[in-house]
Amino acid sequence: VGRSWEWPEWMKYLAAMVMLLTPVAMVMILGLYLLRHRRELKQARDQADQMAIAGLQRQIDELRSQVGCARESRPATADLTGSTAELSPPVPPQPGQSVQSGFTLVETLAVVAVIGIFAALLGPAAALVRRRAVTAQCQGNLSQLGRALALYVQESRRYPGTRGSPVAPGSPILTVKVNTNISWILWDRRLAPYYASRTALLKCPGHAPSVFPGNAFTNYSYGYNAYGAGIFWTGQNLGLGRVQPPDDFTTDSPMMETTEETVRVPSDMVAIADLEDIGSSFCSCVVVPTQWPSAPGAWHRGGANAVFCDGHVEWQAKSAWTNAAPEARRRWNNDHQPHPELW
């Protein structure tokens, strides 16, 4: 609220590309224009040369007649080489008269070469703009999910929490009767009223989500930081709310809540992030800083986007999100500590 509008990242790249290519295009267009009218310029130059020679010959004849040079009559328009062929001055084109000429082979090849150069320049640039647009749309999705998370926390004074797997109540893989109001609810279901249930926000445009037909609520492009940097089976609650272990399909354990005050540094705590491609047999709704199937993805220039608890969005390379350095792992834990004993 109160932030001024800024150009999207892809629009900045497009504007820079246009500014860089405009001078090149102008030079190429000018070169084509001069090449196209080369024949007319050459004809005009030849006509000027012929008219100058004719005028010089007339001056010589006038000088000879003045000194009384006796000789046989000769055409007044003979050329300087002694030829008796009559030299008629060329008739310049009348005003408005166009000189008919077509493209030569050289000109045609030059046009084809220019088109090829433009295609070579614009192809990678257009692909880059498309990739930037996909990244910008993904960041927009996460930004809206971050706002929904902030509204939920403001109203509930705690984070939504989630199970590790998006299994719908009544799924045939379940062996217990579950309580849909407590432990089997998922983070996106709890946030749904705050993002108007627009499920398109859960789909990254650069990520084809995995399919788990019949069991999952939805396919996920984004995962919730429920566990922090610890492994799944610890009893610690380092993330943003998780089901008490064992988090499997045979128990109906209650949720381990994470209150608003528990998160020590919201501006450095990952909330929701891109998921990597995890195949067609598994669907995860959580993200963890490991090389597991639920790790951050590499859909955007080899990296992933993530929204933090304070609502800002960041991009990092996949290797930076999964780095085991203390500075990287503390960003996943609500106490802002790296907890190397859990790696």
Side-chain angles (χ1 to χ4, degrees), residues 3-331:
R3 295 176 58 186
S4 59
W5 183 85
E6 296 181 357
W7 282 25
E9 197 70 20
W10 66 268
M11 191 177 295
K12 295 179 182 178
Y13 280 92
L14 180 61
M17 183 181 64
V18 171
M19 293 178 63
L20 290 175
L21 293 181
T22 298
V24 178
M26 293 179 64
V27 171
M28 288 184 175
I29 292 173
L30 179 60
L32 280 177
Y33 177 81
L34 295 177
L35 184 64
R36 177 68 181 85
H37 295 278
R38 174 178 55 83
R39 183 175 302 173
E40 288 82 350
L41 293 175
K42 184 176 182 302
Q43 289 178 350
R45 185 170 58 250
D46 292 343
Q47 290 173 359
D49 291 342
Q50 292 175 2
M51 294 177 67
I53 292 174
L56 179 61
Q57 186 63 53
R58 285 193 297 270
Q59 292 178 6
I60 292 175
D61 290 341
E62 291 175 359
L63 288 174
R64 286 179 177 179
S65 63
Q66 290 176 1
V67 297
C69 181
R71 62 179 182 173
E72 293 181 359
S73 177
R74 54 175 290 180
T77 57
D79 58 17
L80 296 176
T81 62
S83 174
T84 58
E86 182 178 355
L87 181 62
S88 299
V91 179
Q94 298 299 321
Q97 180 181 357
S98 61
V99 180
Q100 299 296 328
S101 63
F103 279 104
T104 65
L105 178 60
V106 174
E107 294 170 344
T108 304
L109 293 177
V111 172
V112 173
V114 170
I115 294 175
I117 292 173
F118 268 111
L121 291 174
L122 293 177
L128 176 61
V129 170
R130 286 194 297 270
R131 290 195 296 270
R132 293 289 184 179
V134 169
T135 301
Q137 186 176 347
C138 173
Q139 292 175 343
N141 290 350
L142 285 170
S143 179
Q144 294 186 64
L145 291 175
R147 293 189 187 97
L149 180 66
L151 291 173
Y152 181 95
V153 173
Q154 182 180 6
E155 184 173 311
S156 305
R157 313 304 299 179
R158 65 179 184 275
Y159 288 85
T162 188
R163 289 199 78 91
S165 300
V167 180
S171 170
I173 68 173
L174 300 178
T175 59
V176 296
K177 182 178 180 181
V178 298
N179 186 341
T180 58
N181 294 322
I182 302 178
S183 60
W184 290 86
I185 204 72
L186 300 171
W187 67 271
D188 59 300
R189 291 286 166 165
R190 288 189 168 180
L191 293 185
Y194 301 92
Y195 62 81
S197 299
R198 290 177 293 166
T199 56
L201 293 179
L202 301 174
K203 308 293 179 65
C204 170
H207 177 199
S210 301
V211 178
F212 201 8
N215 297 325
F217 278 117
T218 184
N219 295 321
Y220 288 83
S221 295
Y222 306 116
Y224 180 78
N225 180 19
Y227 300 97
I231 62 174
F232 280 18
W233 298 280
T234 65
Q236 293 178 292
N237 184 25
L238 295 176
L240 296 177
R242 56 166 296 185
V243 170
Q244 289 183 3
D247 183 5
D248 55 30
F249 303 141
T250 63
T251 60
D252 190 17
S253 303
M255 187 76 69
M256 299 172 67
E257 303 284 357
T258 297
T259 63
E260 183 179 14
E261 294 76 16
T262 304
V263 180
R264 298 290 182 84
V265 186
S267 62
D268 204 34
M269 173 72 177
V270 176
I272 305 168
D274 273 316
L275 283 172
E276 69 177 338
D277 185 8
I278 52 180
S280 59
S281 61
F282 183 76
C283 186
S284 177
C285 63
V286 296
V287 61
V288 293
T290 66
Q291 294 295 336
W292 292 9
S294 298
W299 300 101
H300 307 287
R301 295 174 292 148
N305 296 313
V307 62
F308 286 69
C309 291
D310 69 338
H312 84 276
V313 179
E314 287 187 16
W315 173 91
Q316 285 196 117
K318 180 181 176 65
S319 58
W321 290 120
T322 58
N323 195 338
E327 295 76 13
R329 288 298 169 92
R330 70 173 72 247
R331 308 186 85 188

